[in-house]
Amino acid sequence: MTDNKNKSATLSLGGKDYDFPVYEASVGPDVIDISSLYAQTNNFTYDPGFTSTASCESKITYIDGGEGILLYRGYPIGELADNASFLEVCFLLLNGELPNEDQKDKFEHNITYHTMLHDQMVTLFKGFRRDAHPMAIMVGVVGALSAFYHDSTDVTDAHQRLVASHRLIAKMPTIAAMAYKYSIGQPFVQPRNDLGYASNFLHMCFSVPTEEYIVNPVAAEAMDKIFTLHADHEQNASTSTVRLAGSSGANPFACIAAGIACLWGPAHGGANEACLKMLTEIGTVDRIPEFIARAKDKADPFRLMGFGHRVYKNFDPRATIMQATTHAVLDDLNIEDPLLDVAIELERIAREDEYFVSKNLYPNIDFYSGITLRALGFPTSMFTVLFALARTVGWIAQWNEMIEDPKQKIGRPRQIYTGATERPFVNINDR
Ligand code: SDX
């Protein structure tokens, strides 16, 4: 990030001018460094929801919401989804470059040989009710990894950070599959070193001890692509949560558990589960107008799940790829899902409706992912778990970048206080 000597921002406040340096982006908006604002003016900036605030410098992911562009380390998401495996994308996000053959083989070996979970962690699952939401299990078990893998919790040690990164990427599918198996009362299935990342996950989820399970290659390819589409997304709410938790020096497992907790919300990663529930509630195409009207009604808290985005004010490039993947999976698995008809008609109507057009509300990645995941055999309660599984590499890459940033310090925002000013205590008899 270069301090653009030719550009600065001047703020006039109380009859005095204050200058602030402007730093140049390689692409996208430049930033005004206002870190000295409080010291110079005794004022804070005010930006709830951080709609105009850059919280950090990053080289990992770039989004252009107006043009519907998403780049991982400079590579367009569509080219990565079509040409690279998820583990190649993981290597790219972590290291900044795509792996060569040797690097790819070594990385895949490293991840494969970290997929097993400490056997005593199985006991943790027994503490949950069978009907516990799998995301509750993910938050608990991932956080508990720090109680079993002490040799990779020193965030100041680059090697320990690398081991923790590989452990998290490798073990998330195992933990996610165990959360699913626990919820349906089936025995846990151990990972297999002869299967690829996505195939191993499907095998751990859907195989049973009583018969051989052959992974469907179309399903494995779709799963791998879905992981890539969800891998990272700049400074979204859960990534910002991981960065903020990490800024205190918390161990990586605790930070990722915090990210999982934040992703769970229906406005964020929980939208794919909420979207499928909404499509199911709509049920048939003829009921769509009723729900469109509800979404427009300010008095009704209902929102069209899977529509809208803080950054994309045009199409979400991931949604476009997701839609194509949905059709491919349903066609190959020969599945007729009436909800897909509802989704396609809902998208068509919403994209022509003035309310949605004027507010730039387009389908986001969560709009189609739920239909695909249901076709692959997952219950809706597992949808956000899969999002968290895929996003772990993005969280980890961003966490490492934050730790390695020499300018990094603990995140500690301020506020505008509008509460009571100082006043003397009042005894209960006088209140
Ligand atoms: C993800 O940040 C990321 O990158 C997230 C993510 C990632 O990969 O990490 O991309 C993943 O979280 C995708 C988003 C999934 N969420 C949903 O699909 C839930 C439904 N969407 C909305 O809740 C909403 O669109 C958000 C939360 C996604 C974005 O909210 P913003 O940017 O704060 O926009 P807003 O709430 O200020 O809405 C702007 C206007 C409002 O109307 P006005 O008050 O201006 O009149 O649009 C309306 C909103 O009421 N609006 C919707 C709507 N989304 C926004 N109206 C109906 N249905 C919707 N879905």
Side-chain angles (χ1 to χ4, degrees), residues 321-340:
I321 301 164
M322 198 69 247
Q323 187 194 55
T325 305
T326 303
H327 283 293
V329 167
L330 293 184
D331 292 349
D332 186 84
L333 300 182
N334 199 21
I335 294 174
E336 288 286 322
D337 186 342
L339 293 188
L340 181 61

Side-chain angles (χ1 to χ4, degrees), residues 51 63 229-230 232-239 263 265-272 274-275 292 294-296 298 302-313 316 318 355-356 359-361 364-367 387 391:
T51 53
I63 304 172
L229 293 176
H230 289 80
D232 193 51
H233 212 240
E234 200 216 66
Q235 304 311 318
N236 57 82
S238 54
T239 298
L263 187 74
H268 190 11
N272 52 19
C275 182
I292 294 268
R294 284 186 57 193
K296 296 180 192 175
K298 283 289 164 229
F302 172 80
R303 285 193 164 183
L304 279 184
M305 290 289 114
F307 276 82
H309 198 278
R310 170 62 59 78
V311 177
Y312 290 121
K313 298 311 175 189
D316 178 342
R318 303 168 300 175
Y355 173 90
F356 292 89
K359 294 179 187 297
N360 298 310
L361 300 176
N364 57 50
I365 188 164
D366 295 302
F367 187 64
F387 195 150
R391 185 54 58 88

Side-chain angles (χ1 to χ4, degrees), residues 363-377:
N364 57 50
I365 188 164
D366 295 302
F367 187 64
Y368 285 102
S369 58
I371 295 171
T372 312
L373 296 175
R374 187 165 88 147
L376 293 176

